[in-house]
Amino acid sequence: MKGTDKALWTHMFQDEPIPSAALEDFQTQLMAHILAHPVDFGEEKRLAERRKWGIGLALSLMVAGLAFVAFLWLERNMVSQGLNVVLVMLSGLTYVSNLQQIATRILETLTVLRELETGLSLLWGVVSWPILGVISVFVIFWSANQSYDEKPSI
């Protein structure tokens, strides 16, 4: 039994020569495809450079935005004191009552943000792990699905 299986496997994986007509036809089609669609390596380099700078810009904007939000979130008291100083400085100008109403609304919003921060931190403590688990499962299955759906490049 093992001898016949070994003989079958040996026969199955023996290299047989490719017929020259099929090989020449394949080479002709391949060269025709290369000549019909030449690759502009300069353009490829420019696209790679643009992508690199675009990703860098996007990441720097995201980091700057997150840093600004973190500053406003953590240093609310300093921001509200700064707004009060700006209101005192501008108190002699016209339309200051409108500015004071806007500043009062902003300060009330900052007070509401303190309560919102407490609620969100409690909610995030309860919900964060299940959300992380669902996202992890989604990413794993999506990447596995993408690898199965890929078509060969030639």
Side-chain angles (χ1 to χ4, degrees):
M1 184 80 168
K2 286 187 178 183
T4 58
D5 286 343
K6 187 174 181 181
L8 286 173
W9 281 107
T10 305
H11 179 67
M12 186 181 292
F13 290 105
Q14 283 182 347
D15 289 336
E16 296 179 6
I18 299 173
S20 62
L23 188 58
E24 287 177 8
D25 185 44
F26 175 71
Q27 288 175 343
T28 305
Q29 288 178 356
L30 184 62
M31 289 306 294
H33 180 65
I34 291 172
L35 291 175
H37 305 288
V39 177
D40 183 10
F41 291 105
E43 182 65 25
E44 293 294 326
K45 284 183 181 179
R46 286 189 294 277
L47 282 174
E49 195 71 22
R50 269 195 238 150
R51 283 188 198 111
K52 182 177 75 172
W53 282 102
I55 290 171
L57 176 64
L59 287 176
S60 64
L61 288 175
M62 286 173 43
V63 167
L66 289 174
F68 185 69
V69 166
F71 172 74
L72 288 180
W73 188 268
L74 298 174
E75 301 296 329
R76 269 187 306 284
N77 296 330
M78 189 172 71
V79 172
S80 63
Q81 290 172 358
L83 287 175
N84 283 331
V85 168
V86 168
L87 280 176
V88 168
M89 289 171 50
L90 297 175
S91 62
L93 299 175
T94 56
Y95 304 113
V96 172
S97 62
N98 294 337
L99 287 174
Q100 285 177 340
Q101 290 174 357
I102 291 170
T104 305
R105 287 185 186 156
I106 290 172
L107 290 174
E108 289 171 359
T109 305
L110 289 174
T111 305
V112 170
L113 280 178
R114 287 187 192 117
E115 296 171 7
L116 184 65
E117 176 190 11
T118 305
L120 284 177
S121 65
L122 292 173
L123 180 66
W124 183 248
V126 172
V127 176
S128 63
W129 288 108
I131 288 175
L132 185 63
V134 169
I135 289 173
S136 300
V137 168
F138 176 72
V139 166
I140 289 168
F141 284 114
W142 181 70
S143 63
N145 190 20
Q146 287 294 325
S147 65
Y148 288 124
D149 290 342
E150 287 181 0
K151 294 179 180 150
S153 60
I154 295 179

